[in-house]
Structure formats: structure tokens, C-alpha cells
Amino acid sequence: MRYTLSTDTLTVTVTLDHSIVKKITLREANQSVEEAVESAIDLLDEISAYLNGGRVDFLRYAVDLEGLTDFQRRVLGKVRQIPYGVVVTYGMLARELQTSPRAIGNALSRNPAPIVIPCHRVIGKHGIGGFTSGVAIKEHLLQIEGISIDPSSNK
């Protein structure tokens, strides 16, 4: 679990695994605390609008992909480009990135920002596929976007 604390001059990020400190990073703050709070509120407002059926473009939000491989970053970059209300299959992405559907699924399981990076828009050839937050949540997110996938056909 990652926690961030900011002042006007310093940002501290603490990464914990249960109660064990895994990593602490320090860096100069690139925005004031007020700006950071405003950005967080904007993002939460936009997620709320999305969950209520609004078409929201999350591309303006940067996502920290630190700790991911170049391949995982490429997969998530492609997934970020999938438009609202559109789905692609793991196989389609695999062909485009010259890899296997399983590799695509593994990369998607490392997505640090579901909804902002819409990995729920990637489905299986014969059904909804997996989702780290659970298939029911994936199905719900797709329904918000007007997409219905029969979860019983998932193989």
C-alpha cells in the first residue's frame, strides 16, 4: 500500500506491505498542497461523474508507472487509448503488441489505476475475462459504458 504526504516543499511517499516498510521516497514538491488537494478533488469528482454514466476523459491525469516493466507500460499505454464504450480482446492487444493474450492479462493485473487506465475494456475472446477487482466489478464498469457481456460465457 502506498501513502503520500506533501508539504509545499517536500513529497514523502511510503510504501508498506502490511505493517512492513518496503520503501520511502523523498522528492521536492512539484505543486503546492492546495494544488494537490484540488487535483485529487477534481479526479474524485470525475470518477463520480463516470460512475454515474458520464463520459469522462481521464487522459489528462498522469499515472505513476514506476516499478513496471517497459512491456507493462506499453500495454497500459495502449489500453489508455481505448475509447469509452469500446472493448477489445486480450488477443487483439496481443497481436498488436506481438505477444500472447496471457502476457496482456498479466500486464493488466499490474494496473495501478483502474478506471483511469480502463483495463476493464479488455475482454476475453469468449467472455468477460478476468479483473483484479473481481469480474462483478468489471461487468458493472462495462454496463456503465453501455456494454453487456454474458459472464456465463467466460471460459
Side-chain angles (χ1 to χ4, degrees), residues 60-128:
R60 73 183 183 110
Y61 295 100
V63 176
D64 181 3
L65 300 179
E66 180 183 332
L68 299 182
T69 66
D70 287 342
F71 173 74
Q72 291 164 337
R73 291 173 194 220
R74 278 197 339 265
V75 171
L76 294 175
K78 286 287 184 187
V79 169
R80 254 196 127 172
Q81 304 302 316
I82 302 170
Y84 181 100
V86 174
V87 293
V88 299
T89 67
Y90 297 98
M92 291 166 69
L93 280 176
R95 281 188 295 281
E96 189 173 338
L97 294 171
Q98 299 180 342
T99 190
S100 72
R102 185 175 303 267
I104 296 295
N106 287 337
L108 294 180
S109 73
R110 297 292 315 271
N111 183 356
I115 296 178
V116 174
I117 300 176
C119 58
H120 61 279
R121 295 179 187 152
V122 182
I123 63 170
K125 181 178 179 181
H126 299 292
I128 198 163

Side-chain angles (χ1 to χ4, degrees), residues 125-138:
K125 181 178 179 181
H126 299 292
I128 198 163
F131 195 61
T132 56
S133 299
V135 172
I137 291 174
K138 182 176 186 173

Side-chain angles (χ1 to χ4, degrees), residues 10-155:
L10 185 66
T11 297
V12 179
T13 302
V14 178
T15 305
L16 298 174
D17 182 5
H18 300 282
S19 62
I20 299 170
V21 176
K22 299 296 275 186
K23 183 178 180 183
I24 296 176
T25 58
L26 307 171
R27 66 178 187 273
E28 291 183 31
N30 58 5
Q31 59 182 316
S32 71
V33 172
E34 292 82 14
E35 290 171 330
V37 168
E38 188 174 306
S39 293
I41 290 170
D42 287 347
L43 176 58
L44 290 171
D45 284 345
E46 292 204 24
I47 289 172
S48 178
Y50 169 82
L51 293 174
N52 286 301
R55 286 180 171 245
V56 177
D57 181 3
F58 292 105
L59 286 174
R60 73 183 183 110
Y61 295 100
V63 176
D64 181 3
L65 300 179
E66 180 183 332
L68 299 182
T69 66
D70 287 342
F71 173 74
Q72 291 164 337
R73 291 173 194 220
R74 278 197 339 265
V75 171
L76 294 175
K78 286 287 184 187
V79 169
R80 254 196 127 172
Q81 304 302 316
I82 302 170
Y84 181 100
V86 174
V87 293
V88 299
T89 67
Y90 297 98
M92 291 166 69
L93 280 176
R95 281 188 295 281
E96 189 173 338
L97 294 171
Q98 299 180 342
T99 190
S100 72
R102 185 175 303 267
I104 296 295
N106 287 337
L108 294 180
S109 73
R110 297 292 315 271
N111 183 356
I115 296 178
V116 174
I117 300 176
C119 58
H120 61 279
R121 295 179 187 152
V122 182
I123 63 170
K125 181 178 179 181
H126 299 292
I128 198 163
F131 195 61
T132 56
S133 299
V135 172
I137 291 174
K138 182 176 186 173
E139 183 178 35
H140 179 72
L141 294 174
L142 291 172
Q143 286 175 348
I144 287 170
E145 298 185 27
I147 301 164
S148 180
I149 307 289
D150 180 6
S152 66
S153 66
N154 201 24
K155 297 180 180 175

